Amino acid sequence: MPKSQVRKKKVYTPPTDVRPTATAATRKPSPVWLPVTAVALIVGGIAWLVVYYLSEQEYPVMSWGYWNLAVGFGAMVASLVLLSRWR
């Protein structure tokens, strides 16, 4: 039975004119305040919601009503936005 021929593939070399402009090595690391602020927002948002539920909707701000939920969850979403910028 005849043997099939082996194909010789060329090694792929990416084009030199299409290179990323900024590499990961040239990017600066995040400032120290960024993760600290993000963690503080997470803890603050959770604390806000826990106080709101345990006080039977009287605290932290009674006149805001259910907007207290928006404040608590908004703080946690803001921390996620900050953490997405962290390097």
Side-chain angles (χ1 to χ4, degrees):
M1 184 152 209
K3 207 173 193 183
S4 64
Q5 295 179 353
V6 178
R7 294 184 213 166
K8 294 183 179 178
K9 292 183 181 180
K10 294 181 180 178
V11 177
Y12 175 74
T13 55
T16 57
D17 58 339
V18 184
R19 300 268 180 166
T21 56
T23 61
T26 60
R27 291 179 147 182
K28 295 181 181 178
S30 297
V32 175
W33 62 266
L34 195 134
V36 173
T37 305
V39 170
L41 281 171
I42 290 173
V43 171
I46 292 172
W48 190 283
L49 292 174
V50 166
V51 168
Y52 177 69
Y53 277 115
L54 290 180
S55 68
E56 296 178 355
Q57 303 172 356
E58 290 185 21
Y59 298 106
V61 182
M62 185 177 176
S63 64
W64 287 359
Y66 286 112
W67 283 103
N68 283 304
L69 294 174
V71 171
F73 285 116
M76 290 188 286
V77 168
S79 71
L80 289 175
V81 170
L82 281 177
L83 286 174
S84 70
R85 304 286 182 182
W86 187 25
R87 290 185 210 144

